[in-house]
């Protein structure tokens, strides 16, 4: 029997990368799942593999689109137990010093609208349905950039730090009814796109030269993370039986970036 038997989850950005891996893992654990994603192309590609999956095309920065996705999940599956805020966009390390002021301003609005407002509006839309569940939970995808510099530029890093604030305040406000937690992946081989205001709508991490080497060199475990590597923490945090007392925390799933130290990041000692 799976850890999420009989549970219902809604995953934003669930048609690609980490979100898609979470969806596939939740299905394998016995959950029924709905997805909200802005990419019709990604939805079409995934729906072919999972014909019964509820997939809604829409933008997480729109409250109405979040409401539509919640309604579709509830209608198809009879309720909602877990909301997973995951859809995100990147700034491709845009430096403050060389980015024109107007571009910086619009990239802030664009990135915060998805990475921060998208999570907040998703929670607001999901809350009435979550409160009907006997053991509701919320999980957000953060990043090593939620705690450390250099996992992106200033705007992306600030947006992921802001999402830590959402977790802490929501865990406080929604207790004792709803548990609220996060998973913070390190650099992961996905199709993560950048802000269009920075000219990076079509830029993908998969195209960044040496990205796997960069990831390997900056985490002490020396691993190049795949989306599926992160799914266990989401399952744990969504499972009332296995995380009944866990709220307001973030599980780092980044190969140990918090313990990089001052010397060589990967490699350690000969053991
Ligand atoms: N890939 C990494 O290295 C990495 C590391 C740490 C954290 N993250 C975070 O993981 C999350 C998922 O990213 P990923 O790497 O799987 O990228 P991805 O591009 O493979 O998946 C993101 C999905 O979100 C969707 N999306 C983007 N903007 C949206 C919007 N406004 N409304 C609805 N859907 C939208 C995209 O269409 C896509 O299907 C993001 O929050 C990202 O910041 C990624």
């Amino acid at each position: 029997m799976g850890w999420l038997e009989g549970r219902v989850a809604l995953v934003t950005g669930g048609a690609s990368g980490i979100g898609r891996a979470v969806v596939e893992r939740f299905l394998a654990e016995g959950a029924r799942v709905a997805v909200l994603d802005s990419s019709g192309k990604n939805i079409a590609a995934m729906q072919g593999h999972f014909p019964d999956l509820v997939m809604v095309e829409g933008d997480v920065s729109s409250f109405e689109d979040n409401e539509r996705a919640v309604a579709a999940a509830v209608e198809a599956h009879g309720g909602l137990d877990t909301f997973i805020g995951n859809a995100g966009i990147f700034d491709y390390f845009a430096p403050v010093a060389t980015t024109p002021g107007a571009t910086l301003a619009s990239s802030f609005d664009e990135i915060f609208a998805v990475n921060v407002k998208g999570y907040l509006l998703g929670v607001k839309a999901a809350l009435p349905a979550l409160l009907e569940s006997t053991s509701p939970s919320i999980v957000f995808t953060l990043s090593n950039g939620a705690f450390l510099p250099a996992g992106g530029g200033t705007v992306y890093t600030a947006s992921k730090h802001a999402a830590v604030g959402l977790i802490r305040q929501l865990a406080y406000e929604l207790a004792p009814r709803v548990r609220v937690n996060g998973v913070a992946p390190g650099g992961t081989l996905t199709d993560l796109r950048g802000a269009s205001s920075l000219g990076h709508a079509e830029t993908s991490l998969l195209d960044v030269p040496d990205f796997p080497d960069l990831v390997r060199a900056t985490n002490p475990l020396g691993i190049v993370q795949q989306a599926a590597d992160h799914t266990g923490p989401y399952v744990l945090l969504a499972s009332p039986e296995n995380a009944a007392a866990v709220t307001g925390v973030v599980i780092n799933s980044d190969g140990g970036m918090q313990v990089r130290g001052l010397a060589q990041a990967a490699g350690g000692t000969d053991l």
Side-chain angles (χ1 to χ4, degrees):
M1 180 161 156
W3 274 24
L4 300 175
E5 216 66 53
R7 313 281 301 167
V8 179
L10 170 61
V11 183
T12 72
S16 175
I18 294 167
R20 177 171 172 155
V22 168
V23 170
E24 294 188 20
R25 179 72 190 276
F26 271 44
L27 292 172
E29 295 289 342
R32 287 165 294 156
V33 184
V35 166
L36 170 61
D37 200 292
S38 58
S39 167
K41 188 167 134 271
N42 288 350
I43 287 177
M46 190 172 181
Q47 191 88 73
H49 295 279
F50 302 95
D52 297 333
L53 195 60
V54 174
M55 302 196 81
V56 175
E57 185 174 341
D59 186 337
V60 294
S61 65
S62 152
F63 180 60
E64 290 71 25
D65 287 1
N66 279 286
E67 281 193 310
R68 226 165 19 89
V70 170
V74 170
E75 188 185 332
H77 301 314
L80 184 67
D81 302 296
T82 298
F83 171 75
I84 298 188
N86 166 79
I89 53 174
F90 195 42
D91 64 2
Y92 280 92
F93 306 100
V96 169
T98 53
T99 305
T103 306
L104 197 60
S106 50
S107 73
F108 181 95
D109 291 345
E110 185 182 356
I111 291 171
F112 268 69
V114 179
N115 295 7
V116 185
K117 188 167 75 174
Y119 287 4
L120 180 63
L121 296 183
V123 168
K124 177 65 182 167
L127 200 52
L130 289 175
L131 292 173
E132 297 289 318
S133 167
T134 51
S135 44
S137 59
I138 293 167
V139 186
F140 290 153
T141 300
L142 299 184
S143 165
N144 53 286
F147 304 99
L148 300 167
T154 302
V155 174
Y156 181 78
T157 301
S159 76
K160 289 300 181 180
H161 275 64
V164 177
L166 289 180
I167 288 174
R168 293 203 173 118
Q169 180 68 22
L170 288 168
Y172 168 78
E173 275 189 34
L174 301 182
R177 284 290 287 116
V178 188
R179 295 183 302 102
V180 186
N181 297 291
V183 178
T188 307
L189 297 185
T190 72
D191 193 29
L192 182 63
R193 300 302 175 98
S196 54
S197 49
L198 292 167
H200 286 306
E202 299 305 322
T203 309
S204 166
L205 282 183
L206 299 174
D207 300 329
V208 174
D210 305 327
F211 183 66
D213 293 338
L214 177 72
V215 172
R216 191 182 289 106
T218 50
N219 72 84
L221 294 184
I223 59 171
V224 181
Q225 293 145 111
Q226 307 290 333
D229 294 336
H230 305 299
T231 58
Y234 291 85
V235 173
L236 172 75
L237 293 172
S239 165
E241 291 81 16
N242 295 287
V246 182
T247 196
V249 308
V250 179
I251 297 178
N252 297 305
S253 179
D254 60 9
M257 292 184 81
Q258 307 286 330
V259 291
R260 275 186 296 186
L262 300 175
Q264 186 183 8
T269 47
D270 288 335
L271 297 175

